[in-house]
Amino acid sequence: MSTPPEPSSSRRLPSLLGVEAFVAVGRAQSFSRAAEQLNLTVSALSKRVAGLEALVGEALFLRSGASLSFTPRGLSLFAELSPIVDELGRILAPPAKAESGKLVLHLPTSLAALWLIGELRNFHDTHPGLDLKIETGPHVTRHKRGAVDAAIRYGLGNWEDVKAERLIDGALAVFAAEPLDGEALSKTPLLGVSGAEDAWHGFFDELGMSAAPSEPHIFENAQLMLEAAASGLGAALAPRILALPYLKAGRLTQADLPVLDLGRAFYFVAEPRRWEEEPIRQLREWLCARAKVSNSAL
């Protein structure tokens, strides 16, 4: 009969100092250079690596004179532990100094172009001491100090890696250059966004309508999709906040169809441990205030 695996809670964990030493040596490919980087003697560094080797049960480096290389086990362990050491460094980094006033906010390209850019003059006027940099692109899953300090995400608001506060309603409505009803929609080309190709299927299913026979034409982002709709190329399904500039300009009309509310919205998100840092708090409160104004117009 096979022996059951040892419970993880009773297994001996390696010393973090030993792991740090091992990764430092692996990156430097030298005990002396790694010792200098960690402000240790070569002897102290060697003892830490030896402790990890004792725990693993085999050598992790091959030493031949001045030459140093990984053993097969050392190489595989280095590949797994190196990113963990980097992540620990990120997690344990001291909070940014509030007086720096520098922030990087990441958000979807379309929301930046169709909403936030128009609000930034107000931000600069009311927060002259904050240096805000805008980054746009696909959904960000990891925040890194100095790269992304906070973000605006679209979803249900239940992300485990960040704390979230709801900003703007994200219910989906149908927009086109000309007025549409259900019958006209069934004969109109559909336009969609990369990453949300199934949105139209969900729309038809939720509203009990017969789906159009053709698959939607997919665009890189919602702004391009709405621009195509405004040019008469078809019907777009999007949150009203994104279509608002087109509606105000008379380039799009909202179809005479129900709005599809799947509970999604745009949320301000940041790491829980940084939530109350002064620059992030100021940015969050400003975004919430501007979002309240925008929501009243939806």
Side-chain angles (χ1 to χ4, degrees):
M1 184 172 64
S2 61
T3 303
E6 183 181 4
S8 58
S9 60
S10 64
R11 293 174 188 161
R12 182 184 170 197
L13 293 174
S15 162
L16 290 180
L17 295 178
V19 171
E20 178 191 41
F22 165 68
V23 170
V25 173
R27 288 174 173 171
Q29 286 295 291
S30 165
F31 273 79
S32 58
R33 285 196 296 271
E36 184 177 352
Q37 292 169 5
L38 296 179
N39 197 27
L40 295 171
T41 65
V42 173
S43 174
L45 181 71
S46 297
K47 287 181 180 178
R48 292 184 182 182
V49 173
L52 183 61
E53 289 177 323
L55 182 62
V56 172
E58 58 184 288
L60 301 176
F61 293 107
L62 294 174
R63 304 169 181 83
S64 178
S67 177
L68 182 71
S69 61
F70 286 112
T71 64
R73 175 62 170 142
L75 184 60
S76 65
L77 198 62
F78 178 79
E80 293 187 73
L81 291 179
S82 182
I84 293 175
V85 169
D86 290 338
E87 183 68 4
L88 283 172
R90 183 191 69 82
I91 293 172
L92 298 175
K97 294 181 179 179
E99 62 267 23
S100 66
K102 295 182 179 180
L103 283 174
V104 178
L105 176 70
H106 185 280
L107 71 161
T109 303
S110 298
L111 186 65
L114 299 174
W115 179 67
L116 184 63
I117 295 300
E119 303 287 344
L120 285 182
R121 182 171 181 177
N122 176 275
F123 177 82
H124 294 314
D125 289 344
T126 56
H127 295 83
L130 285 182
D131 180 9
L132 180 64
K133 180 180 179 182
I134 303 299
E135 295 283 354
T136 63
H139 179 80
V140 169
T141 57
R142 176 175 295 182
H143 294 189
K144 184 178 180 181
R145 188 180 303 276
V148 174
D149 297 295
I152 298 177
R153 292 185 187 177
Y154 180 74
L156 296 173
N158 56 352
W159 302 283
E160 295 182 355
D161 60 321
V162 290
K163 188 172 181 178
E165 184 161 342
R166 186 183 176 102
L167 290 176
I168 303 173
D169 178 69
L172 302 176
V174 178
F175 303 96
E178 301 294 336
L180 284 179
D181 57 16
E183 182 178 354
L185 180 63
S186 66
K187 304 172 185 177
T188 301
L190 305 180
L191 311 177
V193 178
S194 177
E197 290 85 352
D198 293 334
W200 276 109
H201 293 291
F203 177 82
F204 289 120
D205 289 344
E206 288 289 329
L207 300 180
M209 299 172 58
S210 298
S214 61
E215 289 296 313
H217 181 81
I218 301 301
F219 292 84
E220 180 181 344
N221 60 55
Q223 184 182 16
L224 293 177
M225 175 188 66
L226 290 166
E227 187 64 34
S231 299
L233 298 182
L237 185 64
R240 186 174 163 83
I241 186 65
L242 300 182
L244 203 54
Y246 292 92
L247 295 172
K248 290 180 177 178
R251 298 187 63 203
L252 284 177
T253 61
Q254 185 170 334
D256 185 20
L257 292 165
V259 172
L260 178 62
D261 188 355
L262 299 177
R264 292 177 172 82
F266 291 99
Y267 287 83
F268 175 86
V269 302
E271 290 181 307
R273 68 194 182 95
R274 301 190 61 198
W275 191 255
E276 293 300 335
E277 285 183 13
E278 189 62 18
I280 290 178
R281 183 189 64 78
Q282 291 182 37
L283 175 61
R284 181 178 75 250
E285 291 178 352
W286 176 80
L287 283 169
C288 287
R290 300 312 299 171
K292 184 176 180 179
V293 174
S294 296
N295 280 323
S296 66
L298 298 183

